[in-house]
Amino acid sequence: MKYSVFSLLKEAFRGHTGWTPAWRKAEPKADYDVVIIGGGGHGLATAYYLATEHGITNVAVLEKGYIGSGNAGRNTTIIRSNYLLPGNEGFYEWSMKLWEGLEQSFNYNAMVSQRGVLNLYHSDQQRDAFARRGNAMRLHGVDAELLDREAVRRMVPFLDYDNARFPIHGGLLQRRGGTARHDAVVWGYARGADMRGVDIVENCEVTGFDIKDGRVTSIDTTRGTIRAKKVGLAVAGNTSRVGALAGLRLPIESHVLQAFVSEGIKPAIDHVVTFGAGHFYISQSDKGGLVFGGDIDGYNSYAWRGNLPTVEDVMEEGMAIWPGLGRIRMLRQWGGLMDMSMDGSPIIDRTPVGGLYLNCGWCYGGFKATPASGWCFAHLIARDELYPVAAALRLDRYATGALIDERGAGAQPNMH
Amino acid sequence: MRIPCPFCGPRGNEEFTYLGDASVQRPDPTAPAAAQAFHDYVYLRDNPSGLHQELWYHGGGCRKWLVVTRNTRTHDINDATFADGGARP
């Protein structure tokens, strides 16, 4: 069923009795051309683009829980393409372009809101660094504006501009950045893939791979063995665990990242604002809750929850730029598993196992990459060649030295 | 999460700095396949879901490096010893 103003009107007159489920609850078949492991945003986007761009529809997406129950359902929904390094910037800009046409493409309201992403700077040195990043963005054809203090004040008047330790000197603004509705992105891709024949199999955990002559032939799951010509792995925080089932040892550590939502308030903050002296980002959802987060906790974890020192740290950073935040109550807080890579940048590549493809290393920035990740991963799986804008996101870059280390922190995942 | 420092006793994890997996060993740089061994040492991790031996530095306390055995699924800590092998004082 195509969603439109006409279908809405029609259903309004029928008492909304004609809506059908947005996707089927598929049973796994015995045989597929492509199996995607991981029913999050990236996995479902991959299946969607396999169907729409490459005509491959004999595809299953296997999900251990329900779709979107991992990081796709627990992020701070920010989309942006404000990176410095060439290996990243073209890729994230492609993602931004796909976001801009996404809702028309998959006929679903993902509530993409280009409200602008404002990175605050707090010193002359940081201004120079941000100017450099802004210039790098513009050289890639991406919009970036360096704002002075007064221009920022006109946008966000209530921040603490004269904070004794971290005064706000200005900001780097990407107007095309913003937010999207995370669950709707998952549902839109699931619906779009399902309409084209992709099987979305929930409650189906992968327990092993059958590898013959260096090539994956089938997958053991809790719902039986499934044969597959090609297998794509997009399981974020569980990458090492599932990869180990195929004998892979990967440059990934799993870390916990916490995020927070306040009680609902009237519209207060119109943009995504980030604190440059620490690591803090905040926006407001359409329900009115302030959505914000900071650093990862910083130690290996599969626990889906963090510890209080990080909570305190995030609150302190929030108070440093916006003292009014202290009068608002925090409503919810949760943790997700980040597949932290060794240089802080993602991997979309083949693996040493034939027919097994890898999509991982998104650190805590995977949501914004969802469309391009799916696009490039689908291209890789379908044609066995790297998509040009993702050509630097190689697994072997740790051996060749062609690292993409935005932060310059080295092989220390909790520092990225 | 409280880490039972063998010198200071149980202390909050905010006093500590995390380095990572304590089981990786620096390879012999003169060995024939040293480049590959160093790649594995620097970049590849087992990243287990379960018991994990890891290095923590107690910068907010005794300033000793510790090897902590912690369950990454539950954050339960089974053991903490001095990384240099020193005995508990």
Side-chain angles (χ1 to χ4, degrees), chain A residues 44-339:
Chain A
L44 291 165
T46 306
Y48 174 78
Y49 291 120
L50 278 171
T52 58
E53 302 301 316
H54 304 282
I56 300 173
T57 53
N58 186 22
V59 176
V61 178
L62 308 184
E63 166 55 44
K64 180 177 71 169
Y66 59 92
I67 59 166
S69 56
N71 295 343
R74 46 181 71 224
N75 57 76
T76 47
T77 76
I78 297 166
I79 59 174
R80 59 186 172 85
S81 58
N82 54 0
Y83 285 74
L84 172 70
L85 299 177
N88 272 337
E89 181 57 5
F91 172 78
Y92 285 106
E93 175 57 14
W94 177 234
S95 202
M96 196 71 231
K97 289 208 170 80
L98 290 172
W99 280 117
E100 286 172 331
L102 185 64
E103 292 157 316
Q104 289 70 29
S105 162
F106 65 23
N107 180 229
Y108 201 89
N109 182 8
M111 294 164 70
V112 174
S113 162
Q114 293 183 291
R115 57 184 69 184
V117 172
L118 177 65
N119 301 145
L120 300 174
Y121 59 77
H122 306 268
S123 66
D124 291 349
Q125 293 82 350
Q126 195 167 36
R127 178 201 59 211
D128 294 349
F130 278 27
R132 179 181 175 224
R133 180 153 57 89
N135 287 337
M137 290 164 64
R138 293 174 77 123
L139 286 170
H140 277 93
V142 182
D143 67 309
E145 290 168 54
L146 195 68
L147 304 183
D148 64 12
R149 179 186 164 101
E150 292 314 309
V152 173
R153 199 194 290 273
R154 282 194 291 278
M155 284 175 68
V156 211
F158 46 79
L159 300 183
D160 187 4
Y161 288 86
D162 299 311
N163 184 297
R165 180 68 184 85
F166 304 116
I168 295 166
H169 286 201
L172 181 67
L173 174 66
Q174 185 185 18
R175 289 193 193 273
R176 288 164 61 241
T179 59
R181 169 90 165 91
H182 54 336
D183 292 324
V185 174
V186 171
W187 300 333
Y189 275 124
R191 175 170 166 271
D194 177 84
M195 274 168 31
R196 291 163 178 85
V198 172
D199 283 351
I200 296 165
V201 185
E202 294 173 296
N203 300 310
C204 181
E205 182 174 355
V206 172
T207 55
F209 294 90
D210 294 326
I211 296 167
K212 290 198 180 67
D213 303 324
R215 198 174 167 81
V216 62
T217 55
S218 66
I219 308 165
D220 302 321
T221 76
T222 52
R223 297 179 69 174
T225 300
I226 300 170
R227 282 191 304 279
K229 294 186 182 71
K230 293 177 176 179
V231 178
L233 198 60
V235 295
N238 284 306
T239 297
S240 296
R241 217 167 55 77
V242 183
L245 298 174
L248 301 177
R249 191 161 179 258
L250 297 165
I252 298 288
E253 283 183 5
S254 299
H255 284 254
V256 59
L257 173 68
Q258 304 187 66
F260 308 84
V261 172
S262 79
E263 60 187 329
I265 57 172
K266 286 186 175 181
I269 188 157
D270 301 331
H271 316 89
V272 179
V273 179
T274 74
F275 177 46
H279 192 185
F280 176 85
Y281 33 92
I282 188 165
S283 63
Q284 189 169 16
S285 77
D286 287 10
K287 278 197 296 190
L290 299 171
V291 184
F292 56 99
D295 270 320
I296 54 175
D297 271 38
Y299 44 81
N300 287 45
S301 176
Y302 284 87
W304 294 96
R305 59 188 159 79
N307 274 290
L308 290 172
T310 308
V311 176
E312 184 178 20
D313 191 57
V314 171
M315 299 305 155
E316 285 172 350
E317 293 189 55
M319 291 292 287
I321 53 167
W322 184 5
L325 204 56
R327 306 305 295 271
I328 298 167
R329 281 168 295 190
M330 195 177 85
L331 193 66
R332 293 188 289 126
Q333 157 245 13
W334 64 92
L337 297 195
M338 308 296 118
D339 39 336

Side-chain angles (χ1 to χ4, degrees), chain A residues 36-48 50 61 189 234 359 370 373-374 377:
Chain A
I36 307 293
I37 302 170
H42 291 226
L44 291 165
T46 306
Y48 174 78
L50 278 171
V61 178
Y189 275 124
N359 176 318
T370 304
S373 167
F377 200 36

